Structure formats: structure tokens, C-alpha cells
Amino acid sequence: MEELELVPLCRVTMKVAETIVIDGTPNGTLMIGELIDSVWEGDRFRLRQRGRASADWMRRTDEGTAIPDIRLTLESDAGELVLVQYTGRLDPDTGFAYTCPQFTTGAPGLAWLNRVQAVGRATFDPDTMTVHYPQIYALR
């Protein structure tokens, strides 16, 4: 069996609006962060958030682990649409979020993204409300 390979796919910057917090639920604390802008840029594509129906419905467990649940619609300069959705884990000790994005599109020029399983590690800057992925990788 071959070794797992990480192939650079893109860099990501996402701006988050003020977070809505719902404490005391049976599933932990819910934090809803509407995404107000998102840019995904790599050697093979550049996509920007389209519309406002994009957010992170994060859940923080009682022991402190945060579980992101992100869904957003992206659009290329040519008008091609891509749904990105992912989950993962946020390490409360380091602040890093480890996620596994998946892409869904009907655009012929981006159809190869439908076969990509991606992984990434993000940081969040609370001062600017910005999520930054220095690199998202495709697993191969």
C-alpha cells in the first residue's frame, strides 16, 4: 500500500460575522458564525463566497472540544458554483481547527473537485473575526 500524500490545493480566508451563542443545550454550547466573505484560491481555481447562506454551526462539548460544521456556496469568476461542506475538531489548547472539506459541483471545469478529499488546519483571529487556512491539501 502506498503512503498517503498531501497535495497543495488552495489557501482560504473566511470572514465571520458576530457569533450567536446558545448555551445550555443537551448537545453542549452552540455557536453560529455567519460567514460574510470567503475566498478559496489555488493553482487550479479561484472561488469566492456567493450569497449569505453560509455559516459555521459549531458545537462545543462540555469537556471543551469544539466541532465545526461549515457549509458554504462558492462561485468562480466564470459563474461556476461549488458547495463546500466540512466538519472536524478544534483543539482548545492550541486554537487550531483540523477539518476535512468536501466539494460538490455540477460545473464541468471543476468536476474534478467532486473526487477530492481535502484536509486542512486553520487558525482564527478573534480581533479581525477571520479564519485562515495557510494551505488546504488534497489527499492522494
Side-chain angles (χ1 to χ4, degrees), residues 48-51 53-54 71-75 81-84:
R48 182 163 213 140
Q49 183 175 319
R50 171 148 177 211
S54 299
R71 295 180 194 128
L72 65 154
T73 304
L74 302 173
E75 183 175 26
L81 298 176
V82 178
L83 169 69
V84 180

Side-chain angles (χ1 to χ4, degrees), residues 82-128:
V82 178
L83 169 69
V84 180
Q85 53 189 352
Y86 57 94
T87 188
R89 294 288 185 269
L90 186 131
D91 183 331
D93 295 328
T94 65
F96 289 124
Y98 301 91
T99 62
C100 298
Q102 293 182 313
F103 305 86
T104 304
T105 185
L110 296 172
W112 60 273
L113 283 170
N114 292 323
R115 296 182 300 278
V116 170
Q117 176 59 70
V119 296
R121 181 177 73 183
T123 58
F124 176 69
D125 181 343
D127 294 331
T128 62

Side-chain angles (χ1 to χ4, degrees), residues 5-63:
E5 183 181 1
L6 298 175
V7 179
L9 181 64
C10 64
R11 294 158 306 285
V12 177
T13 302
M14 297 187 292
K15 295 288 284 181
V16 183
E18 183 179 345
T19 302
I20 300 165
V21 177
I22 305 170
D23 284 318
T25 78
N27 295 319
T29 300
L30 304 179
M31 297 168 284
I32 300 100
E34 180 182 9
L35 301 177
I36 53 177
D37 190 32
S38 183
V39 177
W40 296 57
E41 195 164 23
D43 292 340
R44 297 177 69 184
F45 63 88
R46 182 179 190 285
L47 304 168
R48 182 163 213 140
Q49 183 175 319
R50 171 148 177 211
R52 297 184 324 197
S54 299
D56 179 359
W57 291 268
M58 187 177 297
R59 178 174 59 91
R60 188 176 60 224
T61 65
D62 291 338
E63 54 82 31

